[in-house]
Amino acid sequence: MSRLLVKGRQKLSGEVSVQGAKNSALPILAATVLAKGESVLYHCPALSDVDASCGILRYLGCKARREGEALVIDSAGVDRADIPDALMRKTRSSIVFLGAVLARTGRAKLCFPGGCEIGPRPIDMHLRALRQLGAEIRERHGCLDCRAPYGLKGCRVALSFPSVGATEDIMIAAVTASGTTTITNAAREPEITDLADYLNRCGARIYGAGEGVIVIDGVPSLHGAAHTIIPDRIVAATLMSCAAVTGSALTLRGVVSSHLGAVLPVFEESGCHIRVSDGDLRLTAPQRLRSMRVVRTMPYPGFPTDAQAPLLAAACFAEGTSVFVENIFENRYRHTAELIRMGASIKTEGKVAVVEGVPRLYGASVEATDLRGAAALVIAALGAEGQSEISGVRYLERGYERLEQTLSDLGAEIRKV
Ligand code: EPZ
């Protein structure tokens, strides 16, 4: 198992281009199952979660190959409607293949085990909506056997919570349904809009993505299309946290600052100076961060739950107390125990984490247990006194493209062993 060795308190400097968004690439890869022909996805990040999705596509009969920064998918040859357990278990987001396979083939058989590192991952909203669209779904011990022998029929779907995955699954299932589907209380994340942009390029008729109400007029079929994936706003927030804890100035290239509307004010609150100029973002950190006050995670456009762990790591170094409230997932503070081993002062109680800033953290041997928690440990190690050893690097590789290489190029003393 590879580990990261980090010697802390090295200043970072220079500029870095932000990778394509993992949480945009994954649903778009599932959606290519619907497009009968070749799609070219530019700015697609090289991640283990992307590889896992390509494994599912190949199993279903698609061709998937990387051409430099682009991923080329040809879904003309889809000839299967089942996804083996081993492939489903490799990434949490594979549930979004359900709507795609069902819409393309009229059948879908897959197992979706609940629970992962950050909490139970129920799919009740996905299943309820697909049944409303006319799917017959039999569930047994997390295994689903879905049929839509007469195709799917558009209808009105009201989500009880603006679930990102459910919104994506329904959108994908509805694009070739007969009639119109309206999703109310839809998720508004930029990745939803990016998925709709790709599908519309393939001939879909989706209106209102990014708003709370999305209307989809069904079309008979979709063709392939070329699409450039949006930058990853969570990777941007992670890199900004790396600069924040090392008192550095960094320039991020290819950032959509409007995707970070709820994140930038938190960095500014903590004393970071941020300048945005057409697609670039320059962050200059103070010698020592101030408290972030209160950070509540919310559905977009609120503060993103995926940025909670990286910013909480930075808050450990701040002068003053910061309070985090995690409203989206049940178990997203697991990494705080490892931060405490490095000298952080954190008290968690249910949704709330109270972080009392300390002048120093100290390098330690720590273990990551989930993707964003792993990023938090890297950030803490960069700002800590001395050497840290971080295990569980496989979690990092799910969402960050060569993070240690990027940080090393910016001046950090970090290497993978
Ligand atoms: C997506 O997960 C992202 N993953 C997550 O990013 C992100 O944290 C999350 O959206 C929220 O923004 C991908 O896009 C691949 P949800 P998803 O459905 O779709 C509950 C990362 O680190 N819920 O919006 O699973 C659910 O339990 C990952 O990159 C139901 O109760 O998120 C959770 O508490 C982590 N029933 C809440 O809704 C359902 O049917 C939000 O989940 C579906 C969800």
Side-chain angles (χ1 to χ4, degrees):
M1 295 293 202
S2 45
R3 287 161 299 139
L4 288 178
L5 297 183
V6 182
K7 181 171 177 300
R9 297 181 64 70
Q10 306 296 313
K11 281 259 190 258
L12 307 181
S13 65
E15 57 187 56
V16 53
S17 293
V18 177
Q19 71 181 59
K22 164 178 87 78
N23 291 347
S24 182
L26 297 179
I28 287 176
L29 283 167
T32 61
V33 167
L34 280 179
K36 292 178 182 161
E38 187 172 274
S39 290
V40 183
L41 305 179
Y42 295 103
H43 203 214
C44 188
L47 305 169
S48 54
D49 270 9
V50 168
D51 294 342
S53 293
C54 289
I56 292 175
L57 288 171
R58 289 189 188 103
Y59 177 85
L60 292 170
C62 306
K63 293 195 189 79
R65 70 179 189 281
R66 189 164 274 281
E67 277 184 8
E69 255 225 344
L71 209 52
V72 182
I73 312 287
D74 185 342
S75 302
V78 169
D79 56 8
R80 277 192 172 129
D82 69 300
I83 302 177
D85 218 4
L87 292 180
M88 282 299 288
R89 284 181 181 279
K90 284 188 177 177
T91 161
R92 297 304 317 169
S93 64
S94 39
I95 187 61
V96 79
F97 275 91
L98 175 57
V101 173
L102 185 60
R104 175 71 189 261
T105 68
R107 182 94 193 266
K109 282 188 75 175
L110 50 85
C111 295
F112 190 70
C116 74
E117 310 89 11
I118 58 175
R121 303 294 284 273
I123 56 169
D124 54 302
M125 289 192 256
H126 296 245
L127 302 183
R128 185 179 314 112
L130 290 174
R131 285 184 170 119
Q132 282 182 264
L133 285 164
E136 295 156 18
I137 302 177
R138 286 216 332 270
E139 298 171 69
R140 271 172 55 78
H141 313 310
C143 289
L144 308 171
D145 186 348
C146 312
R147 296 165 190 273
Y150 315 107
L152 296 170
K153 195 169 171 353
C155 66
R156 194 175 176 75
V157 176
L159 289 180
S160 53
F161 177 87
S163 153
V164 171
T167 303
E168 292 165 348
D169 219 358
I170 300 159
M171 200 153 82
I172 291 170
V175 289
T176 54
S178 61
T180 298
T181 300
T182 303
I183 309 172
T184 55
N185 196 21
R188 299 164 57 182
E189 273 71 1
E191 293 77 25
I192 302 276
T193 307
D194 207 31
L195 172 62
D197 288 349
Y198 164 70
L199 285 168
N200 283 339
R201 283 209 178 93
C202 295
R205 289 212 203 107
I206 302 170
Y207 312 99
E211 299 306 317
V213 178
I214 301 178
V215 177
I216 301 130
D217 284 338
V219 295
S221 70
L222 297 185
H223 49 73
H227 180 75
T228 300
I229 288 168
I230 56 173
D232 194 312
R233 58 199 170 101
I234 308 303
V235 169
T238 305
L239 292 168
M240 291 164 72
S241 298
C242 295
V245 299
T246 51
S248 308
L250 272 193
T251 297
L252 304 187
R253 295 233 179 277
V255 173
V256 179
S257 54
S258 62
H259 292 171
L260 290 158
V263 174
L264 300 188
V266 178
F267 279 109
E268 287 168 333
E269 179 75 44
S270 71
C272 294
H273 175 71
I274 291 174
R275 202 182 69 244
V276 169
S277 60
D278 54 46
D280 291 347
L281 183 150
R282 181 151 182 87
L283 179 141
T284 307
Q287 202 42 44
R288 179 154 187 216
L289 296 169
R290 295 196 304 263
S291 146
M292 295 176 179
R293 299 202 185 292
V294 183
V295 177
R296 290 182 184 80
T297 66
M298 299 297 280
Y300 194 88
F303 187 92
T305 172
D306 297 343
Q308 175 259 103
L311 269 86
L312 189 150
C316 294
F317 296 86
E319 189 164 3
T321 299
S322 307
V323 177
F324 288 78
V325 186
E326 173 54 59
N327 292 306
I328 307 293
F329 285 104
E330 291 75 8
N331 188 11
R332 231 179 169 167
Y333 290 133
R334 283 179 66 182
H335 60 286
T336 55
E338 300 301 288
L339 294 172
I340 290 166
R341 283 164 60 89
M342 298 174 76
S345 170
I346 306 169
K347 296 246 178 327
T348 62
E349 180 76 38
K351 290 180 168 199
V352 179
V354 180
V355 180
E356 207 177 317
V358 291
R360 282 266 186 285
L361 291 192
Y362 298 90
S365 181
V366 289
E367 180 170 7
T369 51
D370 68 274
L371 165 58
R372 305 303 174 184
L377 296 180
V378 171
I379 291 160
L382 288 173
E385 189 78 51
Q387 174 107 351
S388 294
E389 182 178 302
I390 303 168
S391 60
V393 176
R394 66 188 182 289
Y395 289 106
L396 211 53
E397 290 159 353
R398 289 189 42 204
Y400 293 91
E401 209 177 33
R402 298 186 307 277
L403 182 62
E404 75 283 350
Q405 186 57 54
T406 300
L407 292 171
S408 171
D409 293 349
L410 293 170
E413 275 201 43
I414 180 171
R415 62 196 173 89
K416 189 190 288 189
V417 295

